[in-house]
Amino acid sequence: MNVSLRHFIAFWFLLFSSFSLYSQAIVLETYQNTSLVHNFSSSPFAPQITEKPENGSARLLNLGNGQYDLVYDPGAGFIGADELEYSYWAPPSDYKRVTVYINVLPS
């Protein structure tokens, strides 16, 4: 599937999935063998990776003051689509779930 078609599908998915009050979806891209970093806030409680990616690894880095980096590393030589899920604390009083769709492009 070419990149433009993936973007089109992701756009419609985001459009229709954004009506949920407790979940979000984002689409990110990186290149083969290149880490992806996504910054977000979670306060006063720490976020958690709730679903690990199948074709790479993910970790959360605490930057302090409620700021976190989600770091995704695609598997060696992997090209294609991957996804993961994390939850973060959003005021006033609940966790939000985020599904991250990742496109790993040839370098």
Side-chain angles (χ1 to χ4, degrees):
M1 187 181 318
N2 69 37
V3 174
S4 296
L5 182 56
R6 282 189 294 212
H7 287 161
F8 178 78
I9 292 169
F11 168 77
W12 283 105
F13 177 81
L14 289 173
L15 181 66
F16 290 109
S17 68
S18 63
F19 295 107
S20 172
L21 296 177
Y22 297 102
S23 66
Q24 300 174 248
I26 58 174
V27 178
L28 302 173
E29 289 186 344
T30 190
Y31 291 97
Q32 179 183 18
N33 302 321
T34 304
S35 295
L36 173 101
V37 179
H38 169 66
N39 184 267
F40 65 96
S41 299
S42 181
S43 182
F45 301 110
Q48 300 174 346
I49 294 175
T50 54
E51 185 179 316
K52 295 179 181 181
E54 292 184 14
N55 300 297
S57 63
R59 64 189 184 280
L60 294 169
L61 301 177
N62 185 343
L63 305 176
N65 295 323
Q67 294 294 306
Y68 293 85
D69 277 348
L70 169 68
V71 181
Y72 169 80
D73 295 303
F78 174 73
I79 297 171
D82 206 355
E83 69 180 77
L84 62 96
E85 187 176 280
Y86 71 90
S87 61
Y88 70 99
W89 187 262
S93 62
D94 61 340
Y95 272 99
K96 303 286 186 182
R97 186 179 60 223
V98 180
T99 303
V100 182
Y101 296 95
I102 302 166
N103 293 318
V104 180
L105 305 173
S107 53

